[in-house]
Amino acid sequence: MKQVHIGVSARHIHLSPEHMDALFGKGYLLTELKKLSQPGQYAAEEVVTVQGPKGKMEKIRILGPARGSTQLEISRTDSYVLGVNPPVRQSGKIEGTPGIKIIGPAGEIDIKHGVIVAARHIHFHTKDAEAWGIVDQQVLTVKLNGERPLILEDVLARVSEHFALDLHIDTDEANAAGVKTGEYAHILE
């Protein structure tokens, strides 16, 4: 049985270097709060506020290090609060997505696009993928074994020598099944 660790991904934001400068001041460096499951990535102490057409959300955690493009990842429930309608997308695929206002301690910016509901996915280290016969971009089916077991279809396999094995789902998906970070799911044949 192919068992995979669950990582529940709450709302968060990735910022480009220029947007970091605009929100926090020129040359500002993030302060690492805690390491994430993927090598080299971390949750920063710093947070921002996001403002949509309908509402705002405060204390949105920044994930570091800085990225090439700014991207806000929220759940479908969050999208109703903000009044935006983002598509479900793989991280980094932000063309044609809605924008939002981002407010930091040193300034604010309006991004034209970059708001997504992250597609559920499993990060595979190349060795794990090879051992299980899984290839990059393969679509998988996964069973969440929570208090309300749930079968997830369309789980994207993302394979890289820079990844660590981890299933990423959002808070809506985790809450629906009654699972949390640190528990395990099973990849179905």
Side-chain angles (χ1 to χ4, degrees):
M1 185 172 290
K2 297 172 183 156
Q3 185 171 284
V4 61
H5 178 267
I6 297 171
V8 180
S9 186
R11 67 185 74 103
H12 63 273
I13 194 164
H14 303 280
L15 295 173
S16 68
E18 63 263 6
H19 290 159
M20 277 289 303
D21 287 348
L23 296 168
F24 289 91
K26 185 90 172 136
Y28 188 88
L29 297 175
L30 294 172
T31 305
E32 184 177 312
L33 176 66
K34 70 174 185 174
K35 293 188 183 309
L36 299 178
S37 65
Q38 296 310 300
Q41 296 187 20
Y42 58 91
E45 287 185 13
E46 292 80 4
V47 294
V48 294
T49 296
V50 294
Q51 175 74 53
K54 184 177 171 187
K56 72 178 179 177
M57 296 182 137
E58 298 177 336
K59 299 182 180 174
I60 303 296
R61 183 76 50 204
I62 300 170
L63 300 188
R67 296 273 179 100
S69 298
T70 294
Q71 174 179 292
L72 174 65
E73 296 183 30
I74 59 175
S75 70
R76 182 61 60 206
T77 301
D78 293 337
S79 75
Y80 302 139
V81 172
L82 294 169
V84 294
N85 186 22
V88 175
R89 290 278 179 88
Q90 183 176 337
S91 183
K93 309 284 186 187
I94 59 172
E95 303 80 22
T97 62
I100 201 148
K101 179 183 293 244
I102 306 168
I103 305 161
E108 59 184 54
I109 56 171
D110 286 296
I111 59 171
K112 302 270 187 253
H113 57 273
V115 182
I116 66 168
V117 173
R120 55 181 78 118
H121 59 280
I122 301 175
H123 290 278
F124 287 91
H125 186 276
T126 309
K127 291 179 183 176
D128 295 316
E130 288 172 1
W132 288 356
I134 292 170
V135 297
D136 189 44
Q137 303 299 304
Q138 183 175 340
V139 178
L140 306 169
T141 301
V142 174
K143 182 178 181 186
L144 302 178
N145 299 305
E147 59 189 30
R148 297 187 305 171
L150 189 63
I151 304 292
L152 298 178
E153 296 182 345
D154 300 328
V155 180
L156 187 65
R158 297 179 60 197
V159 180
S160 169
E161 64 184 22
H162 303 291
F163 290 159
L165 184 61
D166 205 33
L167 166 66
H168 286 183
I169 57 174
D170 70 20
T171 51
D172 286 350
E173 294 162 324
N175 290 338
V179 297
K180 57 186 182 283
T181 294
E183 295 179 355
Y184 287 88
H186 295 96
I187 300 172
L188 303 178
E189 297 300 326

PDB file of all heavy atoms in Angstrom, residues 11-13 18 23 26-27 56 80 87 96 101 104 109 111 116 125 131 135-136 150 154 160-161 178 186 188:
ATOM      1  N   ARG A  11      -4.376  29.077   3.984  1.00  0.00           N
ATOM      2  CA  ARG A  11      -4.162  30.230   3.102  1.00  0.00           C
ATOM      3  C   ARG A  11      -2.776  30.810   3.336  1.00  0.00           C
ATOM      4  O   ARG A  11      -2.308  30.887   4.464  1.00  0.00           O
ATOM      5  CB  ARG A  11      -5.249  31.269   3.330  1.00  0.00           C
ATOM      6  CG  ARG A  11      -5.200  31.916   4.683  1.00  0.00           C
ATOM      7  CD  ARG A  11      -6.364  32.861   4.933  1.00  0.00           C
ATOM      8  NE  ARG A  11      -7.604  32.188   5.175  1.00  0.00           N
ATOM      9  CZ  ARG A  11      -8.159  32.034   6.392  1.00  0.00           C
ATOM     10  NH1 ARG A  11      -7.560  32.495   7.466  1.00  0.00           N
ATOM     11  NH2 ARG A  11      -9.308  31.431   6.516  1.00  0.00           N
ATOM     12  N   HIS A  12      -2.123  31.194   2.255  1.00  0.00           N
ATOM     13  CA  HIS A  12      -0.777  31.759   2.347  1.00  0.00           C
ATOM     14  C   HIS A  12      -0.450  32.519   1.068  1.00  0.00           C
ATOM     15  O   HIS A  12      -1.190  32.451   0.083  1.00  0.00           O
ATOM     16  CB  HIS A  12       0.265  30.671   2.612  1.00  0.00           C
ATOM     17  CG  HIS A  12       0.362  29.660   1.523  1.00  0.00           C
ATOM     18  ND1 HIS A  12      -0.437  28.542   1.469  1.00  0.00           N
ATOM     19  CD2 HIS A  12       1.162  29.589   0.430  1.00  0.00           C
ATOM     20  CE1 HIS A  12      -0.141  27.837   0.402  1.00  0.00           C
ATOM     21  NE2 HIS A  12       0.829  28.450  -0.254  1.00  0.00           N
ATOM     22  N   ILE A  13       0.676  33.220   1.114  1.00  0.00           N
ATOM     23  CA  ILE A  13       1.081  34.018  -0.035  1.00  0.00           C
ATOM     24  C   ILE A  13       2.569  33.841  -0.296  1.00  0.00           C
ATOM     25  O   ILE A  13       3.354  33.675   0.632  1.00  0.00           O
ATOM     26  CB  ILE A  13       0.719  35.510   0.178  1.00  0.00           C
ATOM     27  CG1 ILE A  13       0.818  36.304  -1.124  1.00  0.00           C
ATOM     28  CG2 ILE A  13       1.545  36.129   1.298  1.00  0.00           C
ATOM     29  CD1 ILE A  13       0.113  37.651  -1.064  1.00  0.00           C
ATOM     30  N   GLU A  18      10.219  42.279  -5.830  1.00  0.00           N
ATOM     31  CA  GLU A  18       9.766  43.665  -5.943  1.00  0.00           C
ATOM     32  C   GLU A  18       8.543  43.936  -5.081  1.00  0.00           C
ATOM     33  O   GLU A  18       8.389  45.027  -4.520  1.00  0.00           O
ATOM     34  CB  GLU A  18       9.526  44.083  -7.403  1.00  0.00           C
ATOM     35  CG  GLU A  18       8.448  43.316  -8.117  1.00  0.00           C
ATOM     36  CD  GLU A  18       8.968  42.168  -8.979  1.00  0.00           C
ATOM     37  OE1 GLU A  18      10.173  41.871  -8.966  1.00  0.00           O
ATOM     38  OE2 GLU A  18       8.149  41.565  -9.667  1.00  0.00           O
ATOM     39  N   LEU A  23       5.993  46.181  -0.046  1.00  0.00           N
ATOM     40  CA  LEU A  23       5.187  45.930   1.156  1.00  0.00           C
ATOM     41  C   LEU A  23       5.954  46.104   2.459  1.00  0.00           C
ATOM     42  O   LEU A  23       5.368  46.459   3.487  1.00  0.00           O
ATOM     43  CB  LEU A  23       4.590  44.521   1.097  1.00  0.00           C
ATOM     44  CG  LEU A  23       3.606  44.275  -0.048  1.00  0.00           C
ATOM     45  CD1 LEU A  23       3.314  42.791  -0.189  1.00  0.00           C
ATOM     46  CD2 LEU A  23       2.321  45.063   0.163  1.00  0.00           C
ATOM     47  N   LYS A  26      12.568  48.503   0.956  1.00  0.00           N
ATOM     48  CA  LYS A  26      13.647  48.058   0.062  1.00  0.00           C
ATOM     49  C   LYS A  26      14.648  47.155   0.792  1.00  0.00           C
ATOM     50  O   LYS A  26      15.147  47.500   1.867  1.00  0.00           O
ATOM     51  CB  LYS A  26      14.367  49.290  -0.505  1.00  0.00           C
ATOM     52  CG  LYS A  26      15.417  48.978  -1.520  1.00  0.00           C
ATOM     53  CD  LYS A  26      14.829  48.963  -2.895  1.00  0.00           C
ATOM     54  CE  LYS A  26      15.940  48.835  -3.923  1.00  0.00           C
ATOM     55  NZ  LYS A  26      15.620  47.890  -4.953  1.00  0.00           N
ATOM     56  N   GLY A  27      14.898  45.979   0.218  1.00  0.00           N
ATOM     57  CA  GLY A  27      15.899  45.061   0.749  1.00  0.00           C
ATOM     58  C   GLY A  27      15.480  44.280   1.978  1.00  0.00           C
ATOM     59  O   GLY A  27      16.301  43.590   2.591  1.00  0.00           O
ATOM     60  N   LYS A  56     -11.947  41.431   3.581  1.00  0.00           N
ATOM     61  CA  LYS A  56     -10.497  41.330   3.718  1.00  0.00           C
ATOM     62  C   LYS A  56     -10.141  40.235   4.709  1.00  0.00           C
ATOM     63  O   LYS A  56     -10.959  39.818   5.530  1.00  0.00           O
ATOM     64  CB  LYS A  56      -9.884  42.663   4.135  1.00  0.00           C
ATOM     65  CG  LYS A  56     -10.132  43.076   5.553  1.00  0.00           C
ATOM     66  CD  LYS A  56      -9.418  44.399   5.826  1.00  0.00           C
ATOM     67  CE  LYS A  56      -9.675  44.839   7.256  1.00  0.00           C
ATOM     68  NZ  LYS A  56      -8.965  46.061   7.586  1.00  0.00           N
ATOM     69  N   TYR A  80     -15.060  33.165  -1.026  1.00  0.00           N
ATOM     70  CA  TYR A  80     -16.366  33.774  -0.776  1.00  0.00           C
ATOM     71  C   TYR A  80     -16.228  34.975   0.151  1.00  0.00           C
ATOM     72  O   TYR A  80     -16.886  35.994  -0.034  1.00  0.00           O
ATOM     73  CB  TYR A  80     -17.333  32.759  -0.172  1.00  0.00           C
ATOM     74  CG  TYR A  80     -17.548  31.522  -1.018  1.00  0.00           C
ATOM     75  CD1 TYR A  80     -17.630  30.271  -0.437  1.00  0.00           C
ATOM     76  CD2 TYR A  80     -17.666  31.598  -2.404  1.00  0.00           C
ATOM     77  CE1 TYR A  80     -17.821  29.129  -1.202  1.00  0.00           C
ATOM     78  CE2 TYR A  80     -17.863  30.459  -3.178  1.00  0.00           C
ATOM     79  CZ  TYR A  80     -17.935  29.234  -2.564  1.00  0.00           C
ATOM     80  OH  TYR A  80     -18.121  28.100  -3.321  1.00  0.00           O
ATOM     81  N   PRO A  87      -9.635  30.287 -10.066  1.00  0.00           N
ATOM     82  CA  PRO A  87      -9.696  28.912 -10.566  1.00  0.00           C
ATOM     83  C   PRO A  87      -8.826  27.988  -9.709  1.00  0.00           C
ATOM     84  O   PRO A  87      -7.942  28.441  -8.986  1.00  0.00           O
ATOM     85  CB  PRO A  87      -9.109  29.034 -11.978  1.00  0.00           C
ATOM     86  CG  PRO A  87      -8.143  30.172 -11.868  1.00  0.00           C
ATOM     87  CD  PRO A  87      -8.759  31.132 -10.889  1.00  0.00           C
ATOM     88  N   GLY A  96      -4.527  34.558 -16.223  1.00  0.00           N
ATOM     89  CA  GLY A  96      -5.988  34.546 -16.279  1.00  0.00           C
ATOM     90  C   GLY A  96      -6.665  34.393 -14.922  1.00  0.00           C
ATOM     91  O   GLY A  96      -7.848  34.066 -14.867  1.00  0.00           O
ATOM     92  N   LYS A 101      -5.788  43.245  -3.676  1.00  0.00           N
ATOM     93  CA  LYS A 101      -4.957  44.252  -2.997  1.00  0.00           C
ATOM     94  C   LYS A 101      -4.228  43.559  -1.851  1.00  0.00           C
ATOM     95  O   LYS A 101      -4.820  42.788  -1.097  1.00  0.00           O
ATOM     96  CB  LYS A 101      -5.804  45.385  -2.443  1.00  0.00           C
ATOM     97  CG  LYS A 101      -4.979  46.441  -1.698  1.00  0.00           C
ATOM     98  CD  LYS A 101      -5.860  47.521  -1.099  1.00  0.00           C
ATOM     99  CE  LYS A 101      -6.480  48.311  -2.199  1.00  0.00           C
ATOM    100  NZ  LYS A 101      -6.115  49.700  -2.270  1.00  0.00           N
ATOM    101  N   GLY A 104       0.858  45.705   3.329  1.00  0.00           N
ATOM    102  CA  GLY A 104       1.952  45.388   4.240  1.00  0.00           C
ATOM    103  C   GLY A 104       2.246  46.571   5.143  1.00  0.00           C
ATOM    104  O   GLY A 104       1.606  47.624   5.020  1.00  0.00           O
ATOM    105  N   ILE A 109      -0.084  47.147  -2.526  1.00  0.00           N
ATOM    106  CA  ILE A 109      -0.023  46.954  -3.973  1.00  0.00           C
ATOM    107  C   ILE A 109      -1.321  46.309  -4.442  1.00  0.00           C
ATOM    108  O   ILE A 109      -2.014  45.648  -3.659  1.00  0.00           O
ATOM    109  CB  ILE A 109       1.174  46.060  -4.393  1.00  0.00           C
ATOM    110  CG1 ILE A 109       1.120  44.707  -3.671  1.00  0.00           C
ATOM    111  CG2 ILE A 109       2.491  46.759  -4.163  1.00  0.00           C
ATOM    112  CD1 ILE A 109       2.117  43.693  -4.161  1.00  0.00           C
ATOM    113  N   ILE A 111      -2.296  43.627  -7.234  1.00  0.00           N
ATOM    114  CA  ILE A 111      -1.805  42.720  -8.272  1.00  0.00           C
ATOM    115  C   ILE A 111      -2.937  42.445  -9.255  1.00  0.00           C
ATOM    116  O   ILE A 111      -4.099  42.356  -8.867  1.00  0.00           O
ATOM    117  CB  ILE A 111      -1.212  41.416  -7.690  1.00  0.00           C
ATOM    118  CG1 ILE A 111      -2.224  40.630  -6.845  1.00  0.00           C
ATOM    119  CG2 ILE A 111       0.043  41.716  -6.881  1.00  0.00           C
ATOM    120  CD1 ILE A 111      -1.764  39.245  -6.424  1.00  0.00           C
ATOM    121  N   ILE A 116      -5.238  31.995  -6.585  1.00  0.00           N
ATOM    122  CA  ILE A 116      -5.661  30.653  -7.006  1.00  0.00           C
ATOM    123  C   ILE A 116      -6.170  29.847  -5.814  1.00  0.00           C
ATOM    124  O   ILE A 116      -5.869  30.147  -4.663  1.00  0.00           O
ATOM    125  CB  ILE A 116      -4.516  29.851  -7.679  1.00  0.00           C
ATOM    126  CG1 ILE A 116      -3.392  29.524  -6.682  1.00  0.00           C
ATOM    127  CG2 ILE A 116      -3.992  30.570  -8.909  1.00  0.00           C
ATOM    128  CD1 ILE A 116      -2.389  28.496  -7.194  1.00  0.00           C
ATOM    129  N   HIS A 125       9.770  12.972  -4.279  1.00  0.00           N
ATOM    130  CA  HIS A 125      11.182  12.980  -4.627  1.00  0.00           C
ATOM    131  C   HIS A 125      11.323  11.981  -5.772  1.00  0.00           C
ATOM    132  O   HIS A 125      10.600  10.987  -5.846  1.00  0.00           O
ATOM    133  CB  HIS A 125      12.054  12.568  -3.438  1.00  0.00           C
ATOM    134  CG  HIS A 125      13.512  12.701  -3.723  1.00  0.00           C
ATOM    135  ND1 HIS A 125      14.221  11.704  -4.367  1.00  0.00           N
ATOM    136  CD2 HIS A 125      14.374  13.718  -3.498  1.00  0.00           C
ATOM    137  CE1 HIS A 125      15.477  12.097  -4.514  1.00  0.00           C
ATOM    138  NE2 HIS A 125      15.597  13.317  -3.995  1.00  0.00           N
ATOM    139  N   ALA A 131      10.302   4.397  -7.410  1.00  0.00           N
ATOM    140  CA  ALA A 131       9.996   3.181  -6.651  1.00  0.00           C
ATOM    141  C   ALA A 131       8.519   2.791  -6.772  1.00  0.00           C
ATOM    142  O   ALA A 131       8.190   1.608  -6.767  1.00  0.00           O
ATOM    143  CB  ALA A 131      10.365   3.366  -5.179  1.00  0.00           C
ATOM    144  N   VAL A 135       4.967   9.009 -12.499  1.00  0.00           N
ATOM    145  CA  VAL A 135       5.688   9.987 -13.312  1.00  0.00           C
ATOM    146  C   VAL A 135       5.136  11.387 -13.063  1.00  0.00           C
ATOM    147  O   VAL A 135       3.995  11.561 -12.634  1.00  0.00           O
ATOM    148  CB  VAL A 135       5.604   9.645 -14.819  1.00  0.00           C
ATOM    149  CG1 VAL A 135       6.284   8.309 -15.105  1.00  0.00           C
ATOM    150  CG2 VAL A 135       4.171   9.635 -15.304  1.00  0.00           C
ATOM    151  N   ASP A 136       5.960  12.382 -13.343  1.00  0.00           N
ATOM    152  CA  ASP A 136       5.573  13.777 -13.159  1.00  0.00           C
ATOM    153  C   ASP A 136       4.310  14.099 -13.953  1.00  0.00           C
ATOM    154  O   ASP A 136       4.162  13.671 -15.094  1.00  0.00           O
ATOM    155  CB  ASP A 136       6.725  14.689 -13.606  1.00  0.00           C
ATOM    156  CG  ASP A 136       6.489  16.141 -13.241  1.00  0.00           C
ATOM    157  OD1 ASP A 136       6.050  16.406 -12.099  1.00  0.00           O
ATOM    158  OD2 ASP A 136       6.750  17.011 -14.083  1.00  0.00           O
ATOM    159  N   LEU A 150     -12.679   9.993   2.702  1.00  0.00           N
ATOM    160  CA  LEU A 150     -12.996  10.684   1.459  1.00  0.00           C
ATOM    161  C   LEU A 150     -12.019  10.247   0.376  1.00  0.00           C
ATOM    162  O   LEU A 150     -10.827  10.106   0.628  1.00  0.00           O
ATOM    163  CB  LEU A 150     -12.858  12.191   1.708  1.00  0.00           C
ATOM    164  CG  LEU A 150     -13.308  13.184   0.671  1.00  0.00           C
ATOM    165  CD1 LEU A 150     -14.808  13.080   0.430  1.00  0.00           C
ATOM    166  CD2 LEU A 150     -12.983  14.591   1.143  1.00  0.00           C
ATOM    167  N   ASP A 154      -8.177  13.354  -9.212  1.00  0.00           N
ATOM    168  CA  ASP A 154      -7.434  14.457  -9.823  1.00  0.00           C
ATOM    169  C   ASP A 154      -6.359  15.028  -8.911  1.00  0.00           C
ATOM    170  O   ASP A 154      -6.202  16.252  -8.788  1.00  0.00           O
ATOM    171  CB  ASP A 154      -8.381  15.571 -10.277  1.00  0.00           C
ATOM    172  CG  ASP A 154      -9.394  15.090 -11.299  1.00  0.00           C
ATOM    173  OD1 ASP A 154      -9.056  14.189 -12.079  1.00  0.00           O
ATOM    174  OD2 ASP A 154     -10.527  15.597 -11.303  1.00  0.00           O
ATOM    175  N   SER A 160      10.267  15.778  -8.457  1.00  0.00           N
ATOM    176  CA  SER A 160      11.528  16.519  -8.583  1.00  0.00           C
ATOM    177  C   SER A 160      12.515  15.990  -7.555  1.00  0.00           C
ATOM    178  O   SER A 160      12.124  15.563  -6.468  1.00  0.00           O
ATOM    179  CB  SER A 160      11.301  18.013  -8.338  1.00  0.00           C
ATOM    180  OG  SER A 160      12.536  18.699  -8.212  1.00  0.00           O
ATOM    181  N   GLU A 161      13.793  16.071  -7.889  1.00  0.00           N
ATOM    182  CA  GLU A 161      14.822  15.689  -6.922  1.00  0.00           C
ATOM    183  C   GLU A 161      14.903  16.691  -5.774  1.00  0.00           C
ATOM    184  O   GLU A 161      15.550  16.446  -4.771  1.00  0.00           O
ATOM    185  CB  GLU A 161      16.174  15.544  -7.610  1.00  0.00           C
ATOM    186  CG  GLU A 161      16.700  16.818  -8.195  1.00  0.00           C
ATOM    187  CD  GLU A 161      18.002  16.642  -8.963  1.00  0.00           C
ATOM    188  OE1 GLU A 161      18.295  15.525  -9.405  1.00  0.00           O
ATOM    189  OE2 GLU A 161      18.717  17.645  -9.108  1.00  0.00           O
ATOM    190  N   GLY A 178     -12.026  15.338   7.829  1.00  0.00           N
ATOM    191  CA  GLY A 178     -11.650  15.253   9.239  1.00  0.00           C
ATOM    192  C   GLY A 178     -10.219  14.774   9.424  1.00  0.00           C
ATOM    193  O   GLY A 178      -9.934  13.974  10.315  1.00  0.00           O
ATOM    194  N   HIS A 186      -3.726   7.262   1.532  1.00  0.00           N
ATOM    195  CA  HIS A 186      -3.272   6.149   0.685  1.00  0.00           C
ATOM    196  C   HIS A 186      -3.531   6.451  -0.780  1.00  0.00           C
ATOM    197  O   HIS A 186      -4.635   6.883  -1.130  1.00  0.00           O
ATOM    198  CB  HIS A 186      -3.969   4.838   1.090  1.00  0.00           C
ATOM    199  CG  HIS A 186      -3.590   4.396   2.457  1.00  0.00           C
ATOM    200  ND1 HIS A 186      -4.346   4.666   3.578  1.00  0.00           N
ATOM    201  CD2 HIS A 186      -2.506   3.719   2.878  1.00  0.00           C
ATOM    202  CE1 HIS A 186      -3.747   4.166   4.629  1.00  0.00           C
ATOM    203  NE2 HIS A 186      -2.632   3.581   4.250  1.00  0.00           N
ATOM    204  N   LEU A 188      -4.454   5.171  -4.222  1.00  0.00           N
ATOM    205  CA  LEU A 188      -5.185   4.004  -4.703  1.00  0.00           C
ATOM    206  C   LEU A 188      -4.669   3.617  -6.086  1.00  0.00           C
ATOM    207  O   LEU A 188      -4.246   4.470  -6.867  1.00  0.00           O
ATOM    208  CB  LEU A 188      -6.671   4.293  -4.751  1.00  0.00           C
ATOM    209  CG  LEU A 188      -7.293   4.732  -3.410  1.00  0.00           C
ATOM    210  CD1 LEU A 188      -8.777   5.044  -3.587  1.00  0.00           C
ATOM    211  CD2 LEU A 188      -7.105   3.660  -2.344  1.00  0.00           C
TER     212      LEU A 188
END
